[in-house]
Amino acid sequence: MIESLEKMLAKGVDNALLRFGLGKGYLDLGENAKAAEHLQRCVAFDPKYSAAWKLLGKAQLASGEPAAARQAWEQGLEAARAHGDKQAEKEMTVFLKKLDRQPR
């Protein structure tokens, strides 16, 4: 799947959905920095894409960047609330609470 998405990107297709797919694909493979890069492009295309903010935070946390993860999830919460995306809102609230409990 990633190969076909990368080919589309190489041909000049670039949009939020494509970047989300690439970000999720790389996150699933454990390539967190690549995932974060694509997910950042995704939310640049569509700042209201709450699912992308959620995954961006996960990728950043997995990359050892808890402050960046917090920022992504806080922005994601705003997007989720604006859209009425209750599930994403709940999940990111839990992620932030877990982050608050981690030793600094």
Side-chain angles (χ1 to χ4, degrees):
M1 182 190 94
I2 286 179
E3 295 81 19
S4 60
L5 295 176
E6 286 286 6
K7 283 179 187 170
M8 289 173 66
L9 188 61
K11 288 180 185 170
V13 177
D14 199 2
N15 57 48
L17 197 57
L18 177 70
R19 293 295 185 149
F20 182 81
L22 284 165
K24 178 159 182 10
Y26 282 117
L27 188 61
D28 290 346
L29 291 174
E31 294 188 39
N32 302 313
K34 259 188 175 174
E37 183 183 317
H38 287 294
L39 291 163
Q40 283 171 330
R41 292 296 306 252
C42 177
V43 296
F45 278 116
D46 185 358
K48 297 181 191 99
Y49 203 151
S50 51
W53 285 112
K54 182 177 73 172
L55 292 186
L56 176 57
K58 283 185 165 189
Q60 290 170 323
L61 186 62
S63 295
E65 298 180 46
R70 174 181 304 283
Q71 187 176 10
W73 288 330
E74 286 172 350
Q75 288 180 265
L77 273 175
E78 287 178 31
R81 287 181 183 131
H83 270 248
D85 186 350
K86 296 293 184 196
Q87 184 59 37
E89 184 181 341
K90 275 188 211 168
E91 289 178 44
M92 287 184 276
T93 300
V94 169
F95 296 158
L96 285 166
K97 285 180 181 169
K98 284 182 181 174
L99 200 55
D100 288 340
R101 288 194 297 262
Q102 286 185 357
R104 295 177 193 265

